[in-house]
Amino acid sequence: QVQLVESGGGLVQAGGSLRLSCVASGRTISRNVMGWYRRGPGKQRELVARIGSTGTTDYADSAKDRFTISRDNAKNTVYLQMNSLKPEDTAVYYCNAQRSWSMPSEYWGQGTQVTVSS
């Protein structure tokens, strides 16, 4: 069993930056595909970015060139650096673990709120 705990959310002005962290416990996540998803007000949950065990990344179009996903396997932690934030980035951001790129999500965190003011 893996527990995922997100942190780093908050209120920021448009154009600002935030760095989200997802700390895993229970076992190593070094072989998992780790991802960040978000659910905005009145919207469905959507993929933001994923990173594989070897560092391969995958971004939603809305995140390309502004967000960077990274991982530190020694710390069992995944990060999402978000720059040039926009009001439409306002959402609850969730950390996620998959066994592989094609497998369904296995574990989810509780989420962290990101609010971007205009």
Side-chain angles (χ1 to χ4, degrees), residues 43-62:
K43 298 179 181 180
Q44 292 188 330
R45 186 169 57 196
E46 62 179 0
L47 170 69
V48 177
R50 295 188 295 173
I51 184 167
S53 59
T54 59
T56 301
T57 56
D58 173 35
Y59 291 93
D61 288 343
S62 59

Side-chain angles (χ1 to χ4, degrees), residues 91-113:
V92 178
Y93 284 71
Y94 298 92
C95 182
N96 161 272
Q98 295 173 250
R99 290 192 179 186
S100 70
W101 293 100
S102 59
M103 292 289 284
S105 299
E106 191 173 16
Y107 301 105
W108 290 93
Q110 292 299 305
T112 185
Q113 176 71 47

Side-chain angles (χ1 to χ4, degrees), residues 8-10 12 15-20 36 38 48 63 66-69 79-85 89 91 93 112-116:
V12 64
S17 298
L18 282 174
R19 188 195 196 200
L20 306 184
W36 286 97
R38 68 185 183 187
V48 177
R66 298 189 300 128
F67 295 1
T68 302
I69 189 170
Y79 304 97
L80 184 68
Q81 177 67 43
M82 304 187 294
N83 299 327
S84 303
L85 283 161
D89 294 318
Y93 284 71
T112 185
Q113 176 71 47
V114 171
T115 303
V116 184

Side-chain angles (χ1 to χ4, degrees), residues 6-35:
E6 304 95 334
S7 63
L11 175 64
V12 64
Q13 289 188 330
S17 298
L18 282 174
R19 188 195 196 200
L20 306 184
S21 299
C22 170
V23 179
S25 61
R27 64 161 174 82
T28 179
I29 56 167
S30 62
R31 285 177 287 184
N32 285 90
V33 174
M34 300 299 296

